[in-house]
Amino acid sequence: MNTTLSKSETTPNTQTTAVQYRRPAYEVVELEGAYEVHVQVPGCTKEGIQIHHEKDVLTIQASRQNVVNADWKRIHREIPESDFQLKLNLNVDINSEQITAKTEDGVLRIHLPITEEAKPRQISVD
């Protein structure tokens, strides 16, 4: 499902314009002691990706680089030109200091380590 979100931004001359965002396809993988989020952001470079973690919300924004040769004539466009935004509500405590991210072949991989306090533990019965 492709969802378009809109956000109002103010330009320097105080006019309000609407910015279109699309919700990218993503998947969450559970690892031992961590989660990994795979977000599909085709056409985005690492310079155009912003990741923000605050309390229990992870926000990902990615801007696309639309580089088209001036001599080309577009026949068909499979993917819309809008930027991506994804907000994930986290239901487990994440160690913000150890979050890592890398992008390769249009896929952003974010490693979210779980804090020691939130990890499951075995409790012995006396």
Side-chain angles (χ1 to χ4, degrees):
M1 177 171 107
N2 292 329
T3 305
T4 302
L5 308 170
S6 63
K7 172 185 167 190
S8 296
E9 288 189 356
T10 306
T11 57
N13 59 2
T14 67
Q15 293 179 349
T16 302
T17 59
V19 177
Q20 296 291 320
Y21 291 107
R22 293 186 60 228
R23 183 179 182 157
Y26 70 97
E27 124 182 274
V28 179
V29 179
E30 185 176 1
L31 306 172
E32 187 173 328
Y35 289 95
E36 194 165 275
V37 181
H38 303 166
V39 184
Q40 295 181 16
V41 288
C44 298
T45 61
K46 67 180 185 177
E47 291 80 17
I49 298 174
Q50 297 177 352
I51 303 169
H52 183 72
H53 177 238
E54 184 176 348
K55 295 186 182 180
D56 61 345
V57 178
L58 182 71
T59 305
I60 302 155
Q61 288 185 329
S63 299
R64 298 185 49 169
Q65 301 293 327
N66 293 319
V67 179
V68 179
N69 191 336
D71 298 334
W72 289 2
K73 179 181 175 187
R74 182 180 303 164
I75 297 172
H76 176 72
R77 181 154 184 93
E78 188 74 25
I79 302 171
E81 294 181 9
S82 56
D83 294 336
F84 298 105
Q85 182 180 38
L86 178 63
K87 287 190 177 193
L88 298 175
N89 292 321
L90 307 173
N91 60 354
V92 67
D93 291 333
I94 299 297
N95 187 344
S96 290
E97 301 300 320
Q98 295 182 351
I99 294 175
T100 59
K102 67 178 182 175
T103 182
E104 184 178 353
D105 297 331
V107 178
L108 172 66
R109 296 178 187 273
I110 306 170
H111 185 77
L112 304 169
I114 300 172
T115 60
E116 290 298 321
E117 295 83 26
K119 289 181 182 176
R121 55 192 156 115
Q122 184 69 31
I123 301 170
S124 62
V125 178
D126 294 329

